[in-house]
């Protein structure tokens, strides 16, 4: 349904905002993450799924972002709107 899609989009936006806020508040973590990406991928391409095993710090940041701001509502449907 349309309401469910809007709720999912809203949760995704919240997770992205949480990630950006965490990176702004933790510049050392941002530098460490960028250094890991640069060392594994280089500067000429974007990371892809084949790179995932070589990017444990990035994986940890992603998991922490979802832990702090889950994409799916916990405890049922929410009536909050973005």
């Amino acid at each position: 349904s349309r309401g469910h899609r809007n709720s999912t989009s809203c949760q995704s936006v919240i997770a992205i905002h949480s990630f950006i806020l965490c990176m702004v508040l933790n510049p050392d973590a941002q530098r460490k993450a960028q250094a890991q990406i640069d060392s594994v991928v280089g500067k000429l391409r974007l990371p892809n799924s084949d790179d995932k095993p070589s990017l444990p710090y990035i994986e940890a940041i992603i998991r922490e972002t979802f832990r702090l701001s889950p994409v799916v509502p916990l405890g049922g449907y929410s009536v909050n709107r973005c």
Side-chain angles (χ1 to χ4, degrees):
S1 77
R2 185 173 171 211
H4 174 70
R5 180 176 48 215
N6 288 340
S7 174
T8 303
S9 297
C10 193
Q11 292 295 327
S12 297
V13 168
I14 291 169
I16 291 167
H17 285 173
S18 294
F19 167 77
I20 292 170
L21 179 62
C22 287
M23 291 296 99
V24 168
L25 294 176
N26 299 288
D28 291 336
Q30 183 180 1
R31 281 189 284 277
K32 185 175 177 179
Q34 187 64 58
Q36 185 175 80
I37 291 171
D38 290 345
S39 72
V40 171
V41 176
K43 297 189 180 210
L44 299 178
R45 70 176 180 88
L46 295 172
N48 61 44
S49 59
D50 294 334
D51 299 314
K52 188 175 178 180
S54 301
L55 298 168
Y57 192 72
I58 303 302
E59 181 69 20
I61 289 172
I62 292 168
R63 287 181 185 208
E64 184 67 2
T65 299
F66 288 139
R67 185 185 73 80
L68 294 172
S69 182
V71 174
V72 294
L74 300 175
Y77 289 101
S78 173
V79 294
N80 296 335
R81 302 214 185 262
C82 289

